[in-house]
Amino acid sequence: MGETAEQSPGQGERLTEAERRKLRFERRVRVRRSAERVLARPGFQGTLRERLAVLDDAHELYDLDEPADLYGNGVVEALEERTAALLGMEAAAFFPTGTMAQQVALRCWAGRTGNPTVALHALAHPEVHERQAFSQVSGLRPVRITSEPRLPTADEVRAFPEPFGALMLELPLRDAGFVLPTWEELDEVVAAARERDAVVHFDGARLWESTVHFGRALDEIAGLADSVYVSYYKSLDGYGGAAVAGPGTLVEEAKVWRHRYGGTVFQQFPTALSALAGLERELPRLPSYVGHARVVAGALREGFEAAGLPWARVHPEPPHTNEFRVWLPYGADVLTEASLRQGEETKTLLFAHPWDEAGPGLSFTEVYVRAAGLEWAAEDVRAAVAHFAVLLAEEAGRTGTAGGGAG
């Protein structure tokens, strides 16, 4: 069955929490790599050989007889131009990380508006995952419009009790379950910010897959905002990198600050080529992933009901993108063990991502549907859920825990 969460191989002594996490992570990696059926195989989880294969046909993406880039020219400029065109913006600037990209964009806007206050969601990426970088590094002052598990509303933007220079909207909002507003709601929120003389910046790390939900093209979605950040690796399987797109004067200033922040890297042609590959090969497939995620989500719900699990949720349903959350009324350890056992015993890994506890006896995990998931029919998902439920019952019995109702 593999290592347990509590003991390392050949040892009976108790482990620290850090050691438990390390062992569990290593076990998950082994299970994921050996699994024959998964719903997604993100490129970053591959071997070095597999990652280098992304560039096998790079000659189809860019003239490889051109000089290599130096400090952001050449292929990096070609990527910037391609990105700006896709988003319908005047220009774009490549950055090594999204954390840097958004700090620079909002710092530039603060200089223009004269107000360093950035209104955002309490679950926005800079608030949750960036160690207060806005305030600690860039002199920005983040304020939270709302902490509800949805995007801010127009009324909340209008009623916020203090001025702000920029409104940042994460689309989709990952830590609320990859949720998006309706197109009408988004349009109203943007209008409300403009009523307050604030600029609007989209944190669009996963904006690429939002077109199905909004029923709009990328350039129309991005066109609502004054500036947009996009990622090249989260959805497109690039090696890394990000871009800020917007007015030409903003982008030119952003490149100055990119240099000051240490982001004008000597050569970035592998990352730029991998991003071009993602735009060419993966971007056109994202709508099919979103469509199939809705099939998978429905089959998960049906499987949970058929298995008689006391309470289960797929959120949002239907999913707004090709990523969503599953909630179950068990502790994270029990759910993790059942998930990994399923992968080890059947080579089918239904839940490949970690389970996180959200309260006593209640946990959630993220589900991604990508190219590998297109091979799963609804009946395959329901069968995998049925087996998972059996393993879950065994683990709950072994540990003396049981699922309970959650409303």
Side-chain angles (χ1 to χ4, degrees), residues 99-294:
T99 298
M100 183 188 296
Q102 296 207 104
Q103 285 186 62
V104 166
L106 290 163
R107 181 169 194 151
C108 292
W109 281 125
R112 284 162 166 72
T113 65
N115 187 340
T117 302
V118 179
L120 40 61
H121 196 288
L123 295 176
H125 195 278
E127 288 292 273
V128 179
H129 301 289
E130 297 179 17
R131 298 188 177 186
Q132 296 81 49
F134 275 15
S135 59
Q136 296 298 314
V137 178
S138 296
L140 300 169
R141 178 174 172 262
V143 293
R144 299 177 173 187
I145 291 283
T146 182
S147 59
E148 294 296 318
R150 52 157 174 76
L151 273 293
T153 67
D155 286 343
E156 288 170 335
V157 171
R158 291 190 183 98
F160 195 72
E162 59 181 299
F164 50 86
L167 172 67
M168 192 188 96
L169 298 172
E170 184 177 329
L171 303 173
L173 185 56
R174 184 242 178 115
D175 281 303
F178 304 96
V179 297
L180 289 164
T182 66
W183 177 254
E184 293 72 22
E185 289 168 341
L186 180 60
D187 189 48
E188 291 172 2
V189 168
V190 170
R194 299 261 164 75
E195 290 170 13
R196 302 193 55 160
D197 297 323
V199 298
V200 177
H201 171 78
F202 286 171
D203 175 342
R206 297 173 173 84
L207 190 71
W208 308 112
E209 57 261 46
S210 69
T211 57
V212 175
H213 176 82
F214 286 133
R216 299 291 197 281
L218 269 172
D219 58 352
E220 187 174 0
I221 299 168
L224 286 181
D226 296 286
S227 61
V228 180
Y229 142 67
V230 290
S231 171
Y232 293 119
Y233 73 89
K234 287 184 171 66
S235 306
L236 302 180
D237 266 354
Y239 294 164
V244 168
T249 54
L250 181 89
V251 170
E252 286 307 306
E253 184 185 358
K255 290 181 178 180
V256 173
W257 280 105
R258 179 181 67 186
H259 194 176
R260 290 169 175 159
Y261 274 65
T264 304
V265 179
F266 178 54
Q267 288 192 315
Q268 302 223 75
F269 63 88
T271 301
L273 285 170
S274 73
L276 286 171
L279 292 174
E280 181 69 24
R281 302 165 189 165
E282 200 67 10
L283 180 59
R285 305 188 72 183
L286 292 179
S288 67
Y289 301 166
V290 176
H292 201 62
R294 296 175 177 179

